Amino acid sequence: MARIREAVFGVQDGLISTVALLSSIFGAVTDKTVVVIAGLAAALAGMVSMSVGSYLGSNAEREAMAAEIERARAELQENPAKEYAALVAIYE
């Protein structure tokens, strides 16, 4: 499901930046073929860029969460009484 979110986010951002680019190109160039080719290239580049960025961000978030879980697991093994007391304090 996260992969779909990343793809949709990339497409959405790619479309917004592409429309801005095409508006500028269309104002400067009258050849519609050039505008269409530039639009397709910009849309593809924007989509890939945002999708990869979102994917890498999600991976970094998962790695950070895994490291935090591992740190908590190590603390629990080193000092279970202290961790138990912390849990009791949370639930109180």
Side-chain angles (χ1 to χ4, degrees):
M1 191 64 142
R3 303 282 188 253
I4 294 171
R5 179 187 158 282
E6 292 161 358
V8 169
F9 182 66
V11 169
Q12 178 185 3
D13 190 68
L15 288 176
I16 292 170
S17 60
T18 300
V19 168
L21 175 70
L22 289 180
S23 298
S24 300
I25 292 174
F26 189 70
V29 177
T30 57
D31 185 5
K32 291 181 182 176
T33 304
V34 171
V35 175
V36 170
I37 292 172
L40 291 174
L44 180 61
M47 182 180 71
V48 169
S49 174
M50 290 305 296
S51 295
V52 169
S54 182
Y55 172 77
L56 292 175
S58 294
N59 272 355
E61 184 178 7
R62 280 191 292 276
E63 288 175 4
M65 184 61 70
E68 180 65 23
I69 291 170
E70 186 56 38
R71 184 192 59 77
R73 183 176 289 131
E75 287 179 0
L76 182 60
Q77 288 177 350
E78 291 172 9
N79 195 347
K82 179 181 175 185
E83 295 301 315
Y84 179 76
L87 285 175
V88 169
I90 289 170
Y91 287 115
E92 288 179 342

